[in-house]
Amino acid sequence: LYWLRESEVKHARVAMMAVVGFLQVEIFGPAPGCEMATDPCQTDAFWQIWGAHPQYIAFGLIMIGIIEMISGIAATQGRSTGLRGPGEFGLDPLGFSKGDPEAFARLQAQEIANGRLAMWAAAGEIVQGCTTHKGALENLMQSLSDNSF
């Protein structure tokens, strides 16, 4: 059960960042230094970067592998020693875990609930991008204009 909870927390956090990242690029455009990805649809922008600079994608995959290795070691040690809960990396700059335990438990439950929703949202953004070659907000506006009364 520990591994499943660790995986759920990790994927929830990644999905929440992914949803925000998809929308940020669609609203504000590509990040500085990444001007070759001009498409508002992030799946198409990925392939633009792949075509222009595949070494960026390779570097990203290598960094993901290193991070996964480090977090896997932390999860293994935390599981065997019991000193670390799933998803706990000792990063709490706002001190949420130091306050009321009931309030912290509520925040953890909200993180999982919002993360589960974000996993669905990220999957929806990716599938829409692959099928329509438009961004999520563009698809939303098109749907609202097509179905308005």
Side-chain angles (χ1 to χ4, degrees):
L1 191 59
Y2 183 91
W3 285 104
L4 295 175
R5 188 61 161 184
E6 178 83 25
S7 176
E8 183 179 32
V9 169
K10 181 189 301 184
H11 286 91
R13 291 174 179 166
V14 168
M16 286 187 277
M17 289 187 292
V19 168
V20 171
F22 264 69
L23 296 177
Q24 182 270 330
V25 171
E26 188 175 348
I27 294 168
F28 299 110
C34 192
E35 286 80 15
M36 81 278 300
T38 57
D39 203 303
C41 172
Q42 289 303 291
T43 52
D44 292 338
F46 171 84
W47 292 112
Q48 286 177 334
I49 294 173
W50 179 263
H53 297 288
Q55 67 272 18
Y56 292 170
I57 305 298
F59 176 75
L61 292 175
I62 290 168
M63 294 307 294
I64 289 170
I66 291 170
I67 292 168
E68 286 292 319
M69 183 180 64
I70 292 169
S71 69
I73 292 169
T76 302
Q77 289 178 345
R79 180 177 179 210
S80 62
T81 63
L83 297 175
R84 177 186 166 278
E88 289 181 19
F89 289 99
L91 179 66
D92 188 16
L94 300 177
F96 289 126
S97 64
K98 294 170 182 57
D100 182 23
E102 289 180 17
F104 184 60
R106 194 179 99 247
L107 286 174
Q108 287 179 318
Q110 288 174 343
E111 178 185 30
I112 291 298
N114 290 330
R116 289 173 181 163
L117 180 62
M119 286 186 245
W120 282 106
E125 288 178 341
I126 292 168
V127 169
Q128 283 183 2
C130 290
T131 56
T132 65
H133 301 285
K134 296 179 182 178
L137 293 177
E138 188 177 356
N139 279 325
L140 176 64
M141 293 302 128
Q142 183 68 41
S143 175
L144 291 175
S145 70
D146 289 349
N147 296 316
S148 62
F149 297 101

